Amino acid sequence: MSRSYFHLHLVSDSTGETLINVGRAAAAQYEGVSAIEHVYPLVRSSAQLERVISEIEAAPGLVLYTLVGHDLTERLEAACRETGSPCLSVLQPVHALLQSYLGAETTARPGAQHMLNAEYFKRIDAMNFTLAHDDGNLPFDIDESDVILVGVSRTSKTPTAIYLANRGLKTANFPLVPGMPVPPSLENARKPLIVGLLASPERIVQIRQNRLLSLKADDTSLYVDRDAVADEIAACRKLCNRHRWPTIDVTRRSIEETAASILDLHREHRLKFIVA
């Protein structure tokens, strides 16, 4: 199938993260179609908007926006009509629903979701903790973790931990290495949710081979031997079963999907302490 392309303009008075996620999630549903993204964050003045409009005029396409300023919104919509570029306010339907339900007017505050509040500093604290407890660094404060990820090498423990940290969870990770014992502090931990990350031997071998290739290293070791990798994964599964730690197969999962499953497990894990 030949692939077709279209221009997708994402105009935001904040970071643009909301638009990027919405645009990509929607575009992913169309096979054989790819979006050429034009992202314009922090558009908060007429001068900034005019520069955006000039780029839309040069490459007409679909325009998604999150602008809370009425004047900027009107100007952008008028320009889109002139260029024949369909446009949509991504948040407007949600605002309308909230206003109808709450019976309250909105207050125009660009980037309000990124205020330096307690939730923001909680995420920063979680990120600092996660970076300090990466790749087996499990010191005396292991029980301060919200989540601990265990798994063999190349099961995406570190990127998953960082993603969870950005959601406010203090996440440590520990690599399971053949011949290296699991520290008692990990096996005896009760407060954190401990999750084992698994993958098929074929997938692990493929990733490890690419890793060695990038390092120009020898690829004849047990590190990329299919049977040896299968034994590593079996040992990880056995460890998790012995401690009744939940496991997630990440073979065909994105980091976001794995993290979503862990967040769900963490909610259930927290309920045990609330009930107790």
Side-chain angles (χ1 to χ4, degrees):
M1 178 185 294
S2 61
R3 182 164 292 275
S4 59
Y5 298 86
F6 69 98
H7 292 281
L8 177 61
H9 299 272
L10 306 173
V11 188
S12 174
D13 52 20
S14 186
T15 63
E17 293 175 15
T18 300
L19 286 173
I20 292 171
N21 291 331
V22 170
R24 289 179 180 175
Q29 306 305 312
Y30 297 88
E31 187 176 357
V33 179
S34 293
I36 301 174
E37 293 181 356
H38 305 264
V39 184
Y40 315 99
L42 302 175
V43 178
R44 298 179 180 179
S45 70
S46 297
Q48 291 170 327
L49 181 60
E50 290 305 321
R51 286 194 290 270
V52 171
I53 290 173
S54 66
E55 294 201 30
I56 295 174
E57 291 173 342
L62 186 65
V63 179
L64 301 180
Y65 67 89
T66 52
L67 299 174
V68 297
H70 182 67
D71 292 342
L72 295 180
T73 298
E74 283 194 337
R75 173 66 183 115
L76 177 61
E77 291 178 346
C80 288
R81 286 193 296 270
E82 293 173 4
T83 60
S85 298
C87 68
L88 174 70
S89 170
V90 169
L91 294 181
Q92 195 280 329
V94 181
H95 283 316
L97 182 63
L98 282 171
Q99 184 175 339
S100 174
Y101 183 75
L102 299 174
E105 294 293 330
T106 61
T107 301
R109 293 186 299 164
Q113 73 271 34
H114 299 295
M115 292 177 62
L116 301 184
N117 53 18
E119 185 66 25
Y120 174 84
F121 288 108
K122 177 184 176 183
R123 288 192 288 117
I124 295 300
D125 189 35
M127 185 65 72
N128 288 332
F129 181 94
T130 298
L131 293 175
H133 294 74
D134 182 40
D135 200 30
N137 290 316
L138 302 176
F140 63 90
D141 60 349
I142 181 175
D143 268 334
E144 290 187 18
S145 307
D146 295 308
V147 176
I148 301 175
L149 305 178
V150 299
V152 304
S153 171
R154 304 294 117 185
T155 47
S156 301
K157 295 183 297 299
T158 295
T160 302
I162 292 174
Y163 188 97
L164 291 170
N166 197 45
R167 296 294 295 271
L169 295 184
K170 295 180 178 178
T171 309
N173 77 82
F174 186 83
L176 300 179
V177 180
M180 179 180 294
V182 177
S185 59
L186 175 60
E187 295 195 276
N188 297 329
R190 294 294 176 265
K191 177 182 172 291
L193 167 69
I194 303 177
V195 180
L197 301 186
L198 306 171
S200 69
E202 292 76 16
R203 179 58 174 162
I204 294 298
V205 169
Q206 179 187 35
I207 297 174
R208 289 183 179 182
Q209 286 176 334
N210 290 336
R211 172 67 173 168
L212 291 178
L213 185 63
S214 67
L215 297 175
K216 298 181 180 179
D218 178 30
D219 63 352
T220 60
S221 67
L222 292 178
Y223 183 68
V224 291
D225 179 81
R226 197 269 179 200
D227 292 335
V229 171
D231 289 341
E232 288 184 52
I233 296 170
C236 175
R237 193 184 299 276
K238 183 177 180 180
L239 173 69
C240 293
N241 288 340
R242 184 169 72 246
H243 292 285
R244 297 184 178 179
W245 296 337
T247 60
I248 298 175
D249 190 328
V250 302
T251 303
R252 299 184 181 277
R253 286 176 181 254
S254 66
I255 299 299
E256 294 84 356
E257 290 172 321
T258 301
S261 296
I262 294 171
L263 287 166
D264 194 40
L265 289 170
H266 184 255
R267 280 190 289 270
E268 295 180 8
H269 182 73
R270 287 180 59 196
L271 286 176
K272 298 177 183 178
F273 295 93
I274 295 174
V275 172

